[in-house]
Amino acid sequence: QVRLEESGGGSVQAGGSLTLSCAVSRTRFMEPPMAWFRQSPGKGREGVATIYPGNGFAGPTFTDYADSVKGRFIISRDNSGNSLTLEMNNLKPEDTGMYYCAADSPNRKVWTNVGGWTYWGQGTQVTVSA
């Protein structure tokens, strides 16, 4: 069982920065893969960034980003695996939306598939004004 709670959302002008955090509570020892998704009004939920922990079998830590945020957003997690962070820089109005933390998806090749993730947080709102 994994519980997720997002924080750090807010309102910012275009070009500004925000850092989102996701607190992770889990009963399992292993660190699950995690991701950030967002949903804008009238649109479906889309994958923003993902991180899969490295191990001897799977290789080094794997990260991936939506094309629209590459070079501007950075996903990371602390060494304990209890906190996930999304650093967002040079924000644009199109980044506006509800941002969700997700955990536990076995196939990183299709990490943008919403249905592949088992656990979700309640979301935190990000609003970027022009």
Side-chain angles (χ1 to χ4, degrees):
Q1 185 72 20
V2 178
R3 297 181 64 182
L4 307 171
E5 183 173 359
E6 303 93 337
S7 62
S11 297
V12 64
Q13 289 188 327
S17 299
L18 280 174
T19 298
L20 305 183
S21 297
C22 176
V24 183
S25 300
R26 65 186 188 277
T27 57
R28 297 185 303 172
F29 173 75
M30 292 182 63
E31 298 177 23
M34 299 197 69
W36 287 98
F37 284 74
R38 67 186 179 192
Q39 188 164 13
S40 304
K43 296 184 178 180
R45 196 169 293 191
E46 64 171 347
V48 175
T50 191
I51 185 166
Y52 281 67
N55 55 52
F57 178 77
T61 298
F62 170 82
T63 58
D64 198 16
Y65 298 87
D67 288 342
S68 60
V69 306
K70 283 181 179 177
R72 300 188 296 122
F73 290 12
I74 300 172
I75 188 171
S76 62
R77 66 196 303 169
D78 69 351
N79 290 333
S80 69
N82 293 329
S83 179
L84 180 73
T85 298
L86 184 68
E87 180 183 340
M88 305 186 295
N89 301 302
N90 190 23
L91 283 161
K92 304 176 180 181
E94 51 264 42
D95 294 319
T96 294
M98 186 70 77
Y99 282 69
Y100 298 91
C101 177
D104 204 5
S105 174
N107 192 345
R108 67 187 189 186
K109 293 182 180 180
V110 291
W111 70 268
T112 56
N113 179 13
V114 173
W117 295 86
T118 304
Y119 303 101
W120 292 87
Q122 295 300 307
T124 185
Q125 177 68 36
V126 172
T127 303
V128 184
S129 57

